[in-house]
Amino acid sequence: ILNVEQSPQSLHVQEGDSTNFTCSFPSSNFYALHWYRWETAKSPEALFVMTLNGDEKKKGRISATLNTKEGYSYLYIKGSQPEDSATYLCAFRVYMLTFGGGTRLMVKP
Amino acid sequence: NAGVTQTPKFQVLKTGQSMTLQCAQDMNHEYMSWYRQDPGMGLRLIHYSVGAGITDQGEVPNGYNVSRSTTEDFPLRLLSAAPSQTSVYFCASSPRSLRGTEAFFGQGTRLTVV
């Protein structure tokens, strides 16, 4: 069983704050690292799929970086908005996806 | 586009009952999988399939069976429901072995076993 860990488990920020979360994964046999955004009562939706060491991806105010040699990825949200409130999941892909426990973000207006 | 369709959305079972959670995808994806989500935990893999006729166990397979007779469908069977199987279940599909591709999820089935 692969060990994928996310921190923190939950995060409360004020609207306008910038924030970041961490995903750590096995550094050997890397294939791909996925980030998903999951809103309550909905299905997870992909944010980024990262495959190369040093990858940096951006979608609007959200960006992610990848370090496969040390086994971590960061997700950044710039200027958080209430609609960013969700659980953010990272998943390590070898064959199927192995998910971390998620970071639950709550943005207060 | 339908994508990944799961039925039912909600279900209440009595301990010992059996049922099948349905999952269908219309994207011609080879890979399909079932996950369960429990409070405080991420998604845990139950069973997966890499193509029609091929299935394998994930992290938490006990109490569940799957089959894959067609590319489109991947039903999950609960053989004898137990309260420990109360959870939210997600079905996902993805293309085979393309590193840059994401997984697509169904809307989830919220199952309560009493």
Side-chain angles (χ1 to χ4, degrees):
Chain A
I1 297 175
L2 298 172
N3 195 24
V4 181
E5 295 185 351
Q6 292 187 247
S7 62
Q9 284 190 328
S10 65
L11 196 54
H12 291 75
V13 301
Q14 290 293 136
E15 182 176 355
D17 287 351
S18 294
T19 186
N20 64 84
F21 331 130
T22 304
C23 173
S24 62
F25 53 86
S27 57
S28 58
N29 297 319
F30 179 81
Y31 190 70
L33 192 284
H34 294 213
W35 281 100
Y36 290 85
R37 182 174 182 273
W38 185 17
E39 292 183 71
T40 303
K42 295 185 177 181
S43 54
E45 292 185 343
L47 285 171
F48 305 114
V49 177
M50 309 179 80
T51 58
L52 296 174
N53 185 43
D55 255 356
E56 291 187 22
K57 300 223 172 180
K58 187 174 181 181
K59 184 182 291 187
R61 295 178 290 100
I62 304 177
S63 61
T65 60
L66 178 68
N67 183 323
T68 61
K69 294 183 179 180
E70 296 183 37
Y72 65 84
S73 176
Y74 293 135
L75 187 78
Y76 301 91
I77 301 179
K78 185 178 179 182
S80 302
Q81 300 296 309
E83 57 266 29
D84 295 329
S85 297
T87 296
Y88 292 83
L89 296 166
C90 73
F92 181 74
R93 181 169 185 178
V94 176
Y95 212 29
M96 290 291 140
L97 293 171
T98 298
F99 284 86
T103 294
R104 187 179 178 199
L105 174 67
M106 286 152 282
V107 182
K108 300 176 185 178
Chain B
N1 289 338
V4 180
T5 303
Q6 281 182 244
T7 56
K9 289 187 178 180
F10 302 95
Q11 183 72 49
V12 179
L13 287 179
K14 293 182 179 179
T15 297
Q17 286 185 315
S18 62
M19 79 160 294
T20 300
L21 279 61
Q22 301 291 343
C23 176
Q25 53 93 7
D26 61 358
M27 297 172 282
N28 201 34
H29 286 168
E30 293 90 344
Y31 285 4
M32 295 186 74
S33 50
W34 277 101
Y35 294 87
R36 59 178 288 173
Q37 194 275 326
D38 300 300
M41 306 182 78
L43 298 170
R44 292 186 293 167
L45 183 65
I46 305 171
H47 284 285
Y48 65 95
S49 169
V50 299
I54 306 170
T55 63
D56 206 347
Q57 296 180 352
E59 181 184 352
V60 287
N62 292 341
Y64 308 94
N65 272 356
V66 291
S67 60
R68 184 99 180 267
S69 56
T70 67
T71 299
E72 294 78 20
D73 300 300
F74 190 45
L76 178 72
R77 297 183 187 84
L78 278 70
L79 307 174
S80 177
S84 60
Q85 293 178 305
T86 294
S87 188
V88 182
Y89 292 83
F90 285 97
C91 178
S93 74
S94 62
R96 181 175 58 151
S97 71
L98 294 176
R99 296 176 71 195
T101 57
E102 65 196 73
F104 295 84
F105 287 84
Q107 291 293 317
T109 296
R110 185 173 293 275
L111 175 67
T112 301
V113 183
V114 298

